[in-house]
């Protein structure tokens, strides 16, 4: 892959510039709470693998956060396995692929979960606040909300991409890793 390999030292910066809202939300919650429930760990973990975070970096990244909440020992015992598992180093050694928008949109996050697609799963108020933090201007905001009301969540995400990057995006978003790599291409070109 052309833009593979994100390292830990770049991760906060690229999260801000190039993560779609679903992943940005998980990333911020992880930094804030030093914890994510299973659905969030899977959704963000596989996405990070897809953006090129190596297994050793992934372990260090999750450990740095979870240790602050559950302690390093418990992290090693209870959580490290599933991260290695996502990278195909445990169990059946399947190489798990990052989730598509369709899969994320059709998930059913419960109380205390932060996975899912914010365009579908956030309240209108929370979605507006999150979008304005991302830098979506008020004109674009109304267009995004209009797509959301019509349940065109991926189009809402595409309009967000266009607003933030100041550029049209004809391909349309259908995968969070596509959002990421096209955003990186945009900033690096
Ligand atoms: Fe994430 Fe896809 Fe929803 Fe965008 S449309 S926030 S990339 S799940």
């Amino acid at each position: 892959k052309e833009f593979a390999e994100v390292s830990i030292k770049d991760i906060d910066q690229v999260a801000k510039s190039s993560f779609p809202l679903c992943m940005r939300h998980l990333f911020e919650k992880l930094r804030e709470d030093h914890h994510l429930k299973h659905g969030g760990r899977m959704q963000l973990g596989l996405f990070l693998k897809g953006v090129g975070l190596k297994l050793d970096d992934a372990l260090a990244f999750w450990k740095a956060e979870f240790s602050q909440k559950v302690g390093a020992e418990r992290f090693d015992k209870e959580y490290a396995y599933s991260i290695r598992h996502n990278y195909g180093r445990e169990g059946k050694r399947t190489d798990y692929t990052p989730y598509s928008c369709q899969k994320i949109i059709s998930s059913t996050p419960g109380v205390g979960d932060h996975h899912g697609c914010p365009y579908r799963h956030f309240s209108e108020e929370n979605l507006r606040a999150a979008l304005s933090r991302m830098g979506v201007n008020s004109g674009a905001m109304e267009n995004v909300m209009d797509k959301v009301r019509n349940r065109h969540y991926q189009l809402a995400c595409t309009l967000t991409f266009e607003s933030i990057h100041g550029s049209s995006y004809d391909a349309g978003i259908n995968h969070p890793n596509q959002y990421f790599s096209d955003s990186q291409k945009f900033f690096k070109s």
Side-chain angles (χ1 to χ4, degrees):
K1 263 184 255 162
E2 265 177 281
F3 292 100
E5 296 201 21
V6 162
S7 66
I8 294 188
K9 71 174 171 38
D10 305 323
I11 203 164
D12 287 275
Q13 198 262 317
V14 297
K16 253 206 169 103
S17 66
S18 296
F19 281 17
L21 182 53
C22 54
M23 300 304 172
R24 213 176 130 115
H25 177 62
L26 284 168
F27 188 83
E28 286 173 356
K29 280 292 165 197
L30 175 63
R31 287 284 198 229
E32 211 175 289
D33 299 344
H34 315 299
H35 190 268
L36 283 178
K37 292 172 86 171
H38 178 75
R41 294 200 301 275
M42 291 298 290
Q43 184 176 308
L44 180 62
L46 290 171
F47 170 79
L48 291 175
K49 174 182 153 187
V51 311
L53 192 68
K54 298 255 171 282
L55 175 61
D56 286 346
D57 277 356
L59 285 166
F61 168 75
W62 289 97
K63 187 170 182 169
E65 292 302 333
F66 270 64
S67 297
Q68 297 178 55
K69 184 86 172 187
V70 302
E73 204 177 314
R74 223 181 118 196
F75 174 84
D76 289 340
K77 256 200 209 136
E78 291 176 29
Y79 299 98
Y81 177 91
S82 74
I83 292 160
R84 287 196 301 270
H85 192 263
N86 279 351
Y87 279 74
R89 306 293 169 83
E90 299 282 1
K92 282 186 285 178
R93 300 186 174 257
T94 311
D95 206 2
Y96 293 95
T97 50
Y99 294 170
S100 66
C101 291
Q102 209 177 11
K103 184 174 169 103
I104 294 170
I105 288 168
S106 61
S107 68
T108 49
V111 177
D113 278 328
H114 295 293
H115 65 279
C117 173
Y119 299 97
R120 162 129 200 230
H121 296 113
F122 274 19
S123 68
E124 177 168 343
E125 193 189 349
N126 286 348
L127 181 58
R128 282 179 184 273
L131 290 170
S132 80
R133 276 203 306 278
M134 273 179 107
V136 174
N137 66 41
S138 54
M141 178 89 71
E142 294 317 312
N143 293 335
V144 170
M145 297 314 298
D146 191 56
K147 296 294 179 212
V148 168
R149 273 190 290 274
N150 288 299
R151 301 179 179 211
H152 297 309
Y153 307 113
Q154 289 167 232
L155 286 177
C157 191
T158 305
L159 291 179
T160 302
F161 184 101
E162 290 183 336
S163 170
I164 288 173
H165 296 81
S167 153
S168 67
Y169 188 72
D170 299 335
I173 299 296
N174 58 54
H175 200 292
N177 288 90
Q178 170 210 357
Y179 184 113
F180 175 81
S181 59
D182 284 342
S183 172
Q184 287 285 287
K185 267 182 217 162
F186 176 86
F187 289 121
K188 288 180 178 171
S189 67

